[in-house]
Amino acid sequence: MDQFRNIGIVGRMGSVKVVESLRQLKQYLTANNYHVIIEEDTSTMIPGHGLQVASKKLLGEICDLVIVVGGDGSLLGAARELAKSKIPILGVNRGRLGFLTDISPSDLEERLARVLEGEYIEESRFLLDGHVERNGQPLGYGSALNDVVLHPGKSTRMIGFDLYIDGHFVYSQRSDGLIVATPTGSTAYSLSAGGPIMHPKLDAVVLVPMFPHTLSSRPIVVDGKSEIKLVIGETNETYPQVSFDGQMNIACAPGDIIRITKKPFKIRLIHPTDHNFYATCRDKLGWASEIAAS
């Protein structure tokens, strides 16, 4: 069982509720003799904290555990930074849905105490790498825990592109774009676009067309080790964008190539022992918990 002695804290900026949880965390952890390191931007939210301050990268080098306070978006950002360091991440939900940040502020200390005593379950989630090339030269790079999305940006025109999987031509398509999602991202943007819900343990990627011009276009689930290549059509009148978890964008041009593969590093997520994926779906997606009376 891991010994969590050096604990990093990352919080979403600009939220009064996050500040409340940050102060509660700091008080609880320091009172119980844990060494607490606060992320440099987060530290500005609680002046006079008296804690060690570090960048996200340094947190990955010196911490045994990182606690993220915020919504799923906050955890996505931390995960991309911390994946290479293989540091376990625990989420405290101060957002809306909370598929990844599953500790409630109302019982924060009780839940956290059990985790720190070794009562937790751990799972790993893979990320995607995306490389954009122009005329054979690298143009940009990004990584994503949820999804890599080709989209029109501010334009309202359709995008023409070719799809290849493991070097095999799949189709040419005109649509508003394509969502390439991990199982983690299958309950995010992909779900809104009609993609399937995928269990987090699956080693698979789903490709979901966005408003395709042909009604026969449907989501495709492929092996997680597949290489996905998108070629932007030369005749496009629009300059689309590629986004990574909706938090980073690369502007593309006709003829550009986007290559998407699985990242070699996985993130380690920590959950309370009663965590259950299907229960989370029932709670967050409003699934019925019993058969309605006739």
Side-chain angles (χ1 to χ4, degrees):
M1 207 55 86
D2 288 333
Q3 296 297 311
F4 303 133
R5 300 309 310 173
N6 301 306
I7 300 177
I9 299 177
V10 179
R12 188 184 74 207
M13 302 296 291
S15 168
V16 174
K17 292 182 178 180
V18 168
V19 172
E20 293 173 358
S21 292
L22 290 174
R23 294 188 184 280
Q24 185 181 5
L25 265 177
K26 178 217 165 186
Q27 181 178 358
Y28 176 81
L29 292 172
T30 53
N32 285 277
N33 300 314
Y34 289 96
H35 180 213
V36 182
I37 307 101
I38 190 166
E39 188 266 335
E40 53 191 359
D41 291 332
T42 307
S43 69
T44 63
M45 299 170 67
I46 48 174
H49 53 76
L51 302 174
Q52 180 181 347
V53 178
S55 64
K56 283 193 184 79
K57 181 179 179 181
L58 187 56
L59 288 180
E61 297 174 2
I62 63 178
C63 293
D64 306 312
L65 172 71
V66 170
I67 301 174
V68 178
V69 183
D72 287 347
S74 303
L75 196 141
L76 292 174
R80 292 193 302 272
E81 295 278 352
L82 298 170
K84 191 173 182 178
S85 65
K86 301 179 181 179
I87 297 301
I89 302 173
L90 178 69
V92 176
N93 187 24
R94 278 300 193 176
R96 291 186 295 273
L97 277 179
F99 269 97
L100 301 173
T101 50
D102 53 3
I103 288 187
S104 170
S106 61
D107 54 4
L108 171 58
E109 293 185 11
E110 177 187 351
R111 292 283 188 134
L112 181 58
R114 292 180 181 177
V115 169
L116 296 176
E117 290 168 2
E119 295 181 31
Y120 62 87
I121 57 177
E122 179 181 325
E123 63 176 357
S124 61
R125 304 281 184 98
F126 72 84
L127 299 89
L128 297 173
D129 280 334
H131 294 82
V132 181
E133 304 170 8
R134 180 171 297 167
N135 300 321
Q137 300 299 316
L139 177 68
Y141 160 79
S143 61
L145 177 59
N146 266 358
D147 47 45
V148 180
V149 181
L150 173 67
H151 62 95
K154 295 181 180 179
S155 172
T156 57
R157 292 174 179 256
M158 283 189 166
I159 305 167
F161 61 91
D162 294 336
L163 169 65
Y164 296 81
I165 298 175
D166 291 329
H168 300 287
F169 175 70
V170 180
Y171 55 57
S172 293
Q173 184 176 101
R174 287 186 59 77
S175 66
D176 280 3
L178 186 73
I179 302 169
V180 181
T182 66
T184 301
S186 71
T187 52
Y189 193 22
S190 170
L191 183 62
S192 299
I197 293 175
M198 301 166 67
H199 193 280
K201 290 183 179 180
L202 285 174
D203 183 9
V205 173
V206 63
L207 290 73
V208 184
M210 299 164 61
F211 299 102
H213 194 63
T214 56
L215 296 177
S216 59
S217 293
R218 291 292 183 265
I220 302 174
V221 178
V222 300
D223 190 281
K225 295 181 285 295
S226 301
E227 181 196 57
I228 296 156
K229 183 174 77 171
L230 304 176
V231 182
I232 309 299
E234 295 277 4
T235 59
N236 272 313
E237 297 179 4
T238 183
Y239 282 62
Q241 297 184 357
V242 177
S243 69
F244 300 84
D245 285 344
Q247 298 179 351
M248 173 190 169
N249 288 282
I250 298 174
C252 298
D256 285 357
I257 296 174
I258 303 114
R259 300 182 190 276
I260 302 166
T261 56
K262 182 195 290 186
K263 198 176 187 69
F265 312 107
K266 294 183 178 182
I267 67 162
R268 300 169 59 194
L269 283 184
I270 297 293
H271 301 287
T273 53
D274 61 353
H275 171 77
N276 179 284
F277 174 71
Y278 304 111
T280 301
C281 288
R282 284 197 304 273
D283 180 40
K284 308 301 181 182
L285 300 178
W287 290 357
S289 57
E290 60 182 19
I291 296 177
S294 58

